[in-house]
Amino acid sequence: MTPHTLTCPHAATEAPPLLGEPLALEFANTHYAVRGSLRDGLGRPDHLAWWLWTCRDRFTTDLTDTALANVNEADVVHFRELRDASRRLIDARVQGWEPDSRDVAQLNRAGGLGRSWPILLWNPDTTPAIARMGAQGPLLEAQAELAHAVVTLLTTPDNPLASCPAPGCVLFFERTPPRRAWCSPGCGNRARAARHYHRHRPTD
């Protein structure tokens, strides 16, 4: 199994949206809806491998093809636990609710998994570059990196986080620019169509 063999069937039919949000929100948005039906973009090892492969240029962790080919059910459980805790914490921040202490503990536990350090990459005919080497393996390092990204997202002052108000949508987004009201133009169109329908529907 390699990420390249996973991309075609998964990306065509079951891929979670990638909206260009910060990595923490892209991760949270792997729980999404299609026509009002909830989907889990990390439901199977090939789902998780595909998502990591697609986003790997946004990680400092070196997510090699070999590492992604070895994603297993246990990895799925751990990434989903982190994702679900992150979603609840982001929702608490958006709604102004008190967070669940278990979710805070889950995020902090995952953040402590990483034990990485910078290494120098300098090959002939290339400029010096930096990568990160991890003692715990790339999948654990990636979990830690995602947890750190969520911590940064939640603790950035005046971060304009929002949950999409379109009917059936469960995605989060950054309200930038400030007048942005939806996670995507598609959700905006659906919300306007729903409002139009309710204004003009026949009454008994």
Side-chain angles (χ1 to χ4, degrees), residues 1-156:
M1 179 179 73
T2 69
H4 297 285
T5 62
L6 298 174
T7 53
C8 294
H10 177 52
T13 60
E14 301 177 68
L18 294 170
L19 302 176
E21 298 293 341
L23 184 61
L25 290 181
E26 298 280 33
F27 180 53
N29 287 341
T30 57
H31 178 79
Y32 63 106
V34 176
R35 292 182 291 277
S37 176
L38 292 177
R39 305 288 177 86
D40 193 334
L42 306 181
R44 303 194 310 252
D46 59 320
H47 293 178
L48 174 58
W50 180 88
W51 187 84
L52 291 170
W53 182 83
T54 303
C55 296
R56 66 178 171 182
D57 62 339
R58 303 177 64 180
F59 284 82
T60 60
T61 302
D62 186 14
L63 293 167
T64 65
D65 286 355
T66 299
L68 296 178
N70 290 314
V71 170
N72 59 38
E73 292 287 353
D75 297 318
V76 169
V77 170
H78 295 145
F79 275 89
R80 287 177 64 180
E81 287 177 346
L82 176 58
R83 191 272 314 276
D84 293 345
S86 299
R87 282 188 59 84
R88 289 188 292 266
L89 291 170
I90 293 168
D91 195 40
R93 171 72 187 275
V94 168
Q95 304 296 339
W97 297 335
E98 182 177 349
D100 190 315
S101 60
R102 292 169 295 184
D103 292 330
V104 174
Q106 173 69 21
L107 188 68
N108 290 337
R109 181 203 64 80
L113 294 174
R115 297 289 187 275
S116 63
W117 57 90
I119 61 172
L120 178 67
L121 300 180
W122 196 352
N123 299 318
D125 303 320
T126 65
T127 57
I130 191 171
R132 299 199 70 84
M133 179 69 70
Q136 305 298 324
L139 294 176
L140 289 179
E141 297 291 340
Q143 288 180 55
E145 192 171 343
L146 287 165
H148 300 164
V150 174
V151 169
T152 299
L153 182 83
L154 295 173
T155 58
T156 300

